[in-house]
Amino acid sequence: MSLSAVMITVDCAEPQELAQWWATALGGEMAQDHGDFVIVRARPLALGFQRVAEERRGKNRVHVDFSAAPGTDMAEEVKRLVALGASVVGEHSVPGLTWTVLQDPAGNEFCVH
């Protein structure tokens, strides 16, 4: 295989603001700020936030799934993210897997399991 995933990029209206929120949520850092494009590094993941003029419409076509750190209760992690400004969209469960769908302050969905 010749491809490697290196970063997930999110279109948004305010890249610095959203990047700072994600840096805090993931315990990462704003590694690069190019004005209209900001990169957050939270090992092993890099998230890019790029300014776009269009408003977000409808549901994300792609979202990121996160797992709570070993020894961390998923419900407590969800509470922490909500306290930072995320909102809960729903909770789901199938045999062997339970997850919560959230939205970041800009309305982008992500999951925690």
Side-chain angles (χ1 to χ4, degrees):
M1 176 169 47
S2 61
L3 295 175
S4 297
V6 295
M7 180 168 49
I8 298 167
T9 301
V10 178
D11 291 348
C12 59
E14 299 295 333
Q16 287 78 12
E17 185 177 309
L18 194 55
Q20 185 57 60
W21 187 86
W22 277 102
T24 300
L26 296 173
E29 63 179 355
M30 290 177 60
Q32 297 178 34
D33 186 341
H34 302 283
D36 287 340
F37 187 71
V38 180
I39 297 173
V40 170
R41 295 233 186 265
R43 300 220 189 272
L45 183 65
L47 292 175
F49 299 90
Q50 67 183 0
R51 185 181 319 276
V52 296
E54 305 84 17
E55 290 187 28
R56 182 181 169 282
R57 294 188 182 130
K59 185 181 182 308
N60 302 36
R61 292 287 188 178
V62 174
H63 68 268
V64 182
D65 287 9
F66 298 95
S67 61
T72 303
D73 180 63
M74 184 188 82
E76 289 301 314
E77 188 61 21
V78 168
K79 285 182 189 177
R80 183 185 73 82
L81 293 165
V82 168
L84 289 173
S87 56
V88 174
V89 174
E91 296 181 354
H92 304 279
S93 185
V94 296
L97 181 63
T98 299
W99 70 97
T100 301
V101 180
L102 298 106
Q103 288 183 338
D104 69 16
N108 300 300
E109 291 185 6
F110 63 99
C111 296
V112 173
H113 58 85

